[in-house]
Amino acid sequence: MKGMRFRHLLTLWIVVILILSPAACGCEDDDDDASGDDNAPDDDGDDDGDDDLDDDSADGDDDTSDDDTDLGEIRSFHMAAAPFRFEVTDSSVRSIFLTEGFDGMVDAISLHLDGFFGLPWDAFLDDEPLPPAWVAMMEEIRAMAADLDVPVYLSATPIGGRRTGLAAKAHDVGGELVVEQDWTVPCFSFTTAGGQAIGEAYKEINLWLADFFDPTWMTHGIEMDFYLKFCPDQFDGLVAVVNDTYDALKAAHPELPVFPTFGLGLLYGEDKECVYGSDECLIDALEERAAIERDRLGLSYYPMFDTYELGTLPPDWFSRVAGYSGERLAFGETGFSSAPVVIPETLNPDQCYQLFDFDDQNQIDYMNFVFEEFDRLDSDLVVWWSIRDYLPDFMLETCPCDAPDFWCVLYDAIEDTGLLPAWLAWGSMGVLNYDLTEKPGIDTWRAWLAKTPADR
């Protein structure tokens, strides 16, 4: 299946950050519900969580015509998005956070730090001052969030974007923020003396971040179970670090929900010998993660890269996780593309072919499916990766690349990594285009946004 070819690209997209360094591209460095009951009532008497009498598609609801009129006045969850985007000029490329277009479009903001800006490891390891350029970036991000006047979901991680080593290090070089990737060995061990010091530093970094941003929810280990996949011998050490960080955060902020996120594909056994998507895979995966302390079961999932083709995603894909775990779910990140993905032939780059046939309706169907299910399961947070495309239309339509400024430099560099399909698919995930014009999915987004999130 198409999706199977690229399922494992799901968590590797953050490696794009590596491409933005001068050395890399010449760019300027500038069926159970949460209670275990699979008979949750709904209007049509089945247990699929929608309100029509037609058979459901994999995306949850074949008939979305009535979705905007009878959702009810209250939804359980806050609707959040991350403000990541690319800023490209005729001489530079950089990744930034920008909340333009977010005002009135979200009732929570996802500050997904991940590897974008690095962590000030040296400051907390050696009792040095925080890098001024890094602090300035954090202040800028906090100010943007404050201007929106919505709750903050803050995400950090001790492991890097590739999920195979330690998170990037932040430096101040002449007043500029420099993010150093791959500064330690792959599959870093947290159980050595140096690793234990790193663990203590990470705990203190999280306490600083929690005090600085005052989040309503906090993730302290983004997609941490990919370390179990890539570095199984070092996973227990990571669990110890994450648990120590959890304990410290809860001692300082008892009411703050703290949780890591897990890859939903990994929960369903994409890296195991069991049958992918089976109850057996799910139960085993939950047992593997049972020792990780948490207040929610946080998920990360992008179905474009899953084994399942469009139209075959099981309708109980989320509810089984809630049912077997007995935990409240929170979506740390999800989304669906709204445009096809066209890429060059490997052996003949001047020839292109359509890899994925995504469109606006696919995005709308998946959005409704997620929102309906997470409302039914009483989740309090759903993060749609971005409400604004991070790629302009001309980048989604070009192949081979023919675009202004440094866009083709970026395109070619990402193609060299093998991540072009994932990068292009993520680029059209918004309900607003890159230029802030509206897409068809915005009507579904606004219909849900018009409902009031339940108080927590």
Side-chain angles (χ1 to χ4, degrees):
M1 298 183 182
K2 297 178 193 173
M4 183 177 293
R5 293 174 58 191
F6 294 99
R7 190 173 73 218
H8 299 300
L9 295 178
L10 170 56
T11 60
L12 294 181
W13 73 277
I14 300 172
V15 77
V16 166
I17 302 165
L18 304 179
I19 299 165
L20 304 183
S21 66
C25 72
C27 308
E28 191 178 287
D29 188 19
D30 204 270
D31 342 340
D32 286 336
D33 63 16
S35 64
D37 180 6
D38 61 0
N39 294 308
D42 51 56
D43 294 344
D44 53 87
D46 59 21
D47 64 357
D48 55 25
D50 68 13
D51 56 4
D52 62 78
L53 297 175
D54 294 333
D55 290 336
D56 289 338
S57 71
D59 296 320
D61 191 352
D62 284 334
D63 174 15
T64 60
S65 61
D66 56 358
D67 288 333
D68 291 349
T69 59
D70 59 357
L71 295 175
E73 295 303 316
I74 303 292
R75 55 179 150 81
S76 68
F77 56 89
H78 284 72
M79 294 169 60
F84 173 83
R85 64 169 291 175
F86 290 106
E87 183 178 72
V88 179
T89 71
D90 60 0
S91 61
S92 69
V93 178
R94 67 175 181 143
S95 53
I96 61 172
F97 279 5
L98 186 65
T99 54
E100 186 182 7
F102 276 57
D103 191 22
M105 289 290 291
V106 294
D107 46 43
I109 183 72
S110 171
L111 302 184
H112 186 94
L113 300 183
D114 211 313
F116 298 120
F117 312 107
L119 295 176
W121 290 111
D122 289 344
F124 287 93
L125 284 169
D126 303 324
D127 195 25
E128 298 177 355
L130 291 170
W134 183 84
V135 174
M137 180 62 72
M138 297 301 105
E139 290 173 341
E140 181 180 335
I141 292 170
R142 183 175 63 177
M144 284 191 296
D147 286 344
L148 291 176
D149 194 26
V150 295
V152 168
Y153 167 51
L154 179 67
S155 301
T157 178
I159 55 177
R162 297 181 183 182
R163 310 294 183 240
T164 57
L166 207 57
K169 182 190 292 188
H171 297 282
D172 186 307
V173 179
E176 297 291 330
L177 176 62
V178 174
V179 179
E180 181 184 357
Q181 306 281 352
D182 299 328
W183 62 283
T184 59
V185 296
C187 290
F188 179 86
S189 174
F190 294 92
T191 59
T192 64
Q196 291 172 7
I198 284 286
E200 285 296 312
Y202 184 69
K203 178 175 65 178
E204 295 301 321
I205 290 170
N206 275 257
L207 290 170
W208 187 94
L209 290 170
D211 289 341
F212 188 79
F213 286 104
D214 189 25
T216 300
W217 308 266
M218 185 165 180
T219 281
H220 60 315
I222 299 169
E223 295 180 336
M224 65 171 291
D225 54 344
F226 275 84
Y227 217 59
L228 176 61
K229 174 181 177 179
F230 297 126
C231 307
D233 293 339
Q234 288 75 37
F235 186 66
D236 287 346
L238 174 62
V239 171
V241 168
V242 170
N243 282 349
D244 285 347
T245 301
Y246 172 89
D247 291 340
L249 286 168
K250 296 299 289 186
H253 306 276
E255 302 303 317
L256 175 64
V258 179
F259 53 92
T261 58
F262 303 140
L264 185 57
L266 292 179
L267 288 179
Y268 274 120
E270 70 174 23
D271 62 331
K272 304 293 185 182
E273 294 183 359
C274 56
V275 177
Y276 180 66
S278 68
D279 288 356
E280 174 193 359
C281 287
L282 177 58
I283 292 169
D284 287 348
L286 290 172
E287 289 177 352
E288 283 184 312
R289 294 152 180 78
I292 302 170
E293 299 178 69
R294 55 192 185 256
D295 300 322
R296 303 283 188 275
L297 201 159
L299 297 177
S300 171
Y301 183 58
Y302 299 92
M304 302 93 69
F305 308 108
D306 207 333
T307 299
Y308 292 96
E309 299 284 353
L310 290 175
T312 66
L313 193 68
D316 62 352
W317 199 233
F318 307 132
S319 61
R320 272 193 288 156
V321 178
Y324 279 116
S325 69
E327 299 174 71
R328 172 172 286 167
L329 303 186
F331 237 136
E333 51 183 299
T334 193
F336 206 100
S337 308
S338 65
V341 172
V342 180
I343 62 173
E345 294 277 1
T346 302
L347 299 180
N348 187 359
D350 291 332
Q351 297 295 318
C352 301
Y353 70 99
Q354 183 170 285
L355 180 64
F356 294 133
D357 187 20
F358 303 139
D359 60 26
D360 292 301
Q361 191 60 49
N362 297 146
Q363 183 185 73
I364 291 168
D365 288 345
Y366 179 68
M367 188 182 297
N368 271 318
F369 177 42
V370 169
F371 289 170
E372 287 168 1
E373 283 294 278
F374 274 69
D375 189 37
R376 186 172 71 88
L377 296 170
D378 194 37
S379 172
D380 58 342
L381 178 67
V382 174
V383 178
W384 192 265
W385 171 246
S386 180
I387 59 167
R388 179 181 183 180
D389 289 356
Y390 74 60
L391 294 179
D393 287 345
F394 59 75
M395 287 301 295
L396 298 170
E397 299 166 356
T398 185
C399 183
C401 187
D402 181 16
D405 299 328
F406 253 36
W407 281 110
C408 285
V409 175
L410 181 58
Y411 182 102
D412 293 342
I414 292 172
E415 184 180 5
D416 289 344
T417 71
L419 296 176
L420 188 63
W423 185 67
L424 292 172
W426 257 285
S428 66
M429 212 168 286
V431 294
L432 296 170
N433 288 302
Y434 186 86
D435 63 2
L436 296 177
T437 56
E438 297 180 356
K439 298 163 65 175
I442 199 169
D443 292 335
T444 300
W445 181 270
R446 283 177 171 156
W448 281 94
L449 190 66
K451 313 307 173 184
T452 302
D455 292 332
R456 295 292 161 187

